[in-house]
Amino acid sequence: MEGVANDHLVTDNGKWVWWAAIEAYKIVFYAEGDDQNKVSQLVPVNSTSKGMQTQFVINNLAPRRRYVISVEARNNVGYGAKAAIAAMTLAIREPNPPTVTSPRFSDYPNSYKLVWEKPGTGGMPLTRYMVRYYQVELSEGQPEKVKAAVGDMKTLLIDQSNVTEITLTELMPNCTYELQISAMNLSECPRPHIKYSPHHLGM
């Protein structure tokens, strides 16, 4: 049953019939094997429509569970035929590594503004970022290859997951640093997974 903008008359094998516009969709879902805890929601058409598509996001599902989902359209006459599917949710994964978007060279001798894009969350909200950086010596003739670390590693934890920039201070002028940034989420593992995106910066 497809929704239409307004009630109107249509022909059916030469006969005129009244076609009633869809008012809402009834969405029912539950984890397979747990149909005693069905969740039912009545969703108005105007909150689900996007162009010619109708969509609705079901939140707060458990990871790695198979769910049974059904949809029924309703107009002023009643409910139409039910459409049902079974879908599997993904397991919680480690976040993708953030993508650094700030330039490799700083405009200031003793600081660097690190900017990155929020990565994929891995199926759970991000909780924080970790930034590690240290001074390095580059190989002669190979500016992208680190010869050795010449300074202690410093670690910064950013507990605001909506932050996507931070200024590193107290850097040495005319030096090169390597930095690593990782995103963390809450998972079933004892500790959050970490992925690094090495990025060099010259002062």
Side-chain angles (χ1 to χ4, degrees), residues 59-185:
N59 295 309
N60 301 318
L61 302 181
R64 300 192 67 177
R65 290 292 301 272
R66 189 174 182 84
Y67 283 85
V68 178
I69 306 166
S70 65
V71 181
E72 298 172 77
R74 190 189 77 178
N75 61 16
N76 59 6
V77 176
Y79 286 97
K82 180 188 297 184
I85 63 167
M88 186 82 176
T89 57
L90 295 175
I92 297 174
R93 306 166 307 284
E94 60 188 54
N96 294 334
T99 300
V100 176
T101 58
S102 48
R104 291 177 177 264
F105 294 91
S106 176
D107 294 329
Y108 304 96
N110 302 109
S111 64
Y112 176 75
K113 186 176 182 179
L114 172 63
V115 182
W116 63 90
E117 294 178 354
K118 185 177 181 179
T121 65
M124 288 287 285
L126 296 180
T127 56
R128 60 181 178 175
Y129 295 97
M130 181 170 68
V131 177
R132 289 177 167 174
Y133 61 101
Y134 50 92
Q135 187 180 338
V136 296
E137 179 184 352
L138 300 179
S139 299
E140 188 174 352
Q142 295 179 288
E144 291 296 317
K145 185 176 181 180
V146 174
K147 181 179 179 181
V150 296
D152 295 332
M153 178 181 289
K154 295 184 179 181
T155 301
L156 298 175
L157 293 176
I158 306 165
D159 290 326
Q160 295 174 296
S161 61
N162 59 334
V163 172
T164 55
E165 63 179 51
I166 188 174
T167 300
L168 309 180
T169 60
E170 299 181 4
L171 303 180
M172 296 295 293
N174 298 317
C175 292
T176 299
Y177 286 78
E178 181 170 277
L179 62 86
Q180 304 166 337
I181 178 171
S182 60
M184 298 182 180
N185 66 8

Side-chain angles (χ1 to χ4, degrees), residues 10-30:
V10 296
T11 57
D12 182 12
N13 294 327
K15 298 179 180 179
W16 286 97
V17 296
W18 185 259
W19 185 268
I22 293 174
E23 300 172 347
Y25 292 95
K26 180 182 179 182
I27 300 173
V28 178
F29 62 94
Y30 58 92

Side-chain angles (χ1 to χ4, degrees), residues 52-66:
M52 296 299 292
Q53 297 181 337
T54 299
Q55 61 183 19
F56 179 73
V57 177
I58 301 175
N59 295 309
N60 301 318
L61 302 181
R64 300 192 67 177
R65 290 292 301 272
R66 189 174 182 84

